[in-house]
Amino acid sequence: MKCYVGIDVAKAYLDLCDTVKKKYMRFSNDRGGIKKCLRYLVGLQPQLIVLENTGGYERNLAIALNDKGLAVAVINPRQVRDFARATGRLAKTDRIDALVLATYAETIQPKPRGVGTPLNRRMKDLVARRNQLIKIRTAEKNRCEHSDDKTIARSIKAIVRTINQQLEKIENELHNLIHENVELQRKMKCLISIPGIAETTAIMLLTEVPELGSLNRRQVAALIGVAPMNRDSGIFRGKRMTGGGRSKVRSGLRMPILSARRFNPVIKEYYERLVVKGKTKAVAITASIRKLITIVNTIIAKNEQWKPKIT
């Protein structure tokens, strides 16, 4: 029998259940506990292991499983909770959650999704930290505008200077990582040749969407969450909606698409045509993001520089 495993991840513990033995195991969520968990799982040789995304507590385990060559999928908790309700499991404990995850793995069989290479993980951490620092700097600058006290103003300016220094270090580290990798250099040159995409956006795309260039246009649109989906039910017909996917990428492309509307002739013409047809600006922007990510995917796949004829 094929074995599927669900692991409920918490800050302190890892609760495990498999679909063959129906045996519950608990390990501590630390280096020693993860090692014991790996030894147990290697003995089971499961077809698939499913974890929930718990905001980071699952990361070390997912990396360790991936390094051991075990198939692992990190799932959105909402999907698992909906599955539990659909199967009549309304109670929620660590043991029940582990069983639900194992049953989900066996029934749905989601595709294993790797945790990325060490380089990709390093870049994601740096980009995440950069975004955190930018938010803190923005908040401090806003406080400075409303501060009449000179001591407080000096304190705020000192913090902003420190943040700027840290941002510069992170930017230099990101550039060094890209410079040392031939494939990343190639993709970066392709990306920054596109009007509307600057280095910051290019680094975000390289970090958050390493699959660029290996997917077709429908797959990449669905991955980002800008692929239109049917919503035909009852009296409603012809409505299409977007959602899901990688929300960080959609958010990160909002400002670049505003720039592309001015300086990218393909995006400009596409956006204006949609508005003339009566589409709302929000719909036109989402569609333009889909158009832009399709162009990005094509250019990287073909290893080309920007050409207006690429649509």
Side-chain angles (χ1 to χ4, degrees):
M1 294 177 64
K2 292 181 179 179
C3 178
Y4 294 86
V5 171
I7 303 178
D8 182 59
V9 180
K11 181 178 180 180
Y13 296 106
L14 307 170
D15 291 283
L16 181 151
C17 179
D18 67 90
T19 58
V20 176
K21 297 179 180 179
K22 302 287 186 182
K23 185 178 180 180
Y24 295 93
M25 299 286 291
R26 169 169 275 196
F27 304 93
S28 58
N29 193 1
D30 54 27
R31 185 175 297 179
I34 289 174
K35 284 184 178 180
K36 292 178 183 177
C37 182
L38 284 176
R39 284 197 294 268
Y40 179 75
L41 289 170
V42 169
L44 278 181
Q45 284 300 302
Q47 192 80 9
L48 178 66
I49 302 164
V50 166
L51 322 172
E52 284 182 324
N53 187 332
T54 57
Y57 292 128
E58 82 292 343
R59 180 176 175 176
N60 290 337
L61 176 62
I63 291 171
L65 293 170
N66 189 75
D67 291 345
K68 274 290 184 180
L70 296 169
V72 59
V74 181
I75 303 299
N76 187 320
R78 180 172 55 82
Q79 292 175 282
V80 180
R81 200 65 220 143
D82 289 344
F83 176 81
R85 292 192 185 97
T87 54
R89 291 187 177 93
L90 302 182
K92 194 176 189 307
T93 67
D94 295 335
R95 288 168 64 94
I96 291 174
D97 286 350
L99 176 60
V100 168
L101 286 164
T103 308
Y104 180 93
E106 183 179 38
T107 306
I108 307 299
Q109 296 186 15
K111 290 183 179 180
R113 181 180 170 189
V115 292
T117 64
L119 174 60
N120 180 255
R121 295 197 297 267
R122 172 70 174 153
M123 289 183 66
K124 287 188 77 168
D125 288 343
L126 288 170
V127 169
R129 183 55 183 161
R130 181 181 64 186
N131 292 338
Q132 292 167 359
L133 289 173
I134 288 172
K135 287 182 180 179
I136 297 170
R137 184 178 65 180
T138 301
E140 287 296 290
K141 285 183 175 180
N142 290 338
R143 293 187 187 103
C144 192
E145 289 180 3
H146 302 287
S147 175
D148 296 326
D149 188 288
K150 291 183 179 180
T151 302
I152 293 175
R154 283 196 297 268
S155 171
I156 293 172
K157 289 176 182 177
I159 290 173
V160 170
R161 282 196 300 271
T162 301
I163 292 173
N164 287 335
Q165 292 169 1
Q166 293 300 313
L167 282 169
E168 185 178 354
K169 289 180 180 179
I170 289 174
E171 292 289 350
N172 290 337
E173 179 67 17
L174 284 167
H175 287 137
N176 289 338
L177 290 173
I178 292 170
H179 180 72
E180 293 167 2
N181 187 284
V182 175
E183 182 64 11
L184 288 178
Q185 283 187 61
R186 178 187 74 81
K187 290 183 176 181
M188 174 65 84
K189 288 179 181 177
C190 293
L191 287 168
I192 61 177
S193 72
I194 303 171
I197 294 184
E199 280 194 6
T200 300
T201 303
I203 291 173
M204 181 273 293
L205 288 171
L206 290 175
T207 304
E208 298 293 340
V209 200
E211 302 91 341
L212 280 172
S214 63
L215 306 174
N216 62 41
R217 61 187 180 86
R218 292 183 179 85
Q219 289 172 329
V220 75
L223 185 68
I224 305 305
V226 289
M229 295 178 288
N230 294 2
R231 285 294 185 271
D232 296 333
S233 179
I235 63 174
F236 296 100
R237 288 290 184 272
K239 293 292 184 181
R240 301 292 181 267
M241 298 185 70
T242 60
R246 300 181 186 175
S247 58
K248 287 183 182 179
V249 180
R250 291 199 305 277
S251 299
L253 288 175
R254 290 286 172 183
M255 290 306 292
I257 207 66
L258 298 180
S259 175
R261 277 171 44 196
R262 296 180 59 194
F263 303 110
N264 188 313
V266 174
I267 299 299
K268 184 175 185 293
E269 187 273 335
Y270 183 70
Y271 175 85
E272 291 175 352
R273 188 169 71 243
L274 290 174
V275 173
V276 169
K277 286 183 177 179
K279 301 296 184 183
T280 65
K281 290 184 178 180
V283 169
I285 286 174
T286 300
S288 297
I289 291 175
R290 182 171 65 251
K291 184 77 168 177
L292 181 61
I293 202 68
T294 302
I295 292 172
V296 166
N297 189 59
T298 301
I299 283 179
I300 289 179
K302 293 183 177 181
N303 192 24
E304 295 179 341
Q305 298 291 302
W306 162 256
K307 296 175 185 176
K309 67 179 182 180
I310 296 177
T311 58

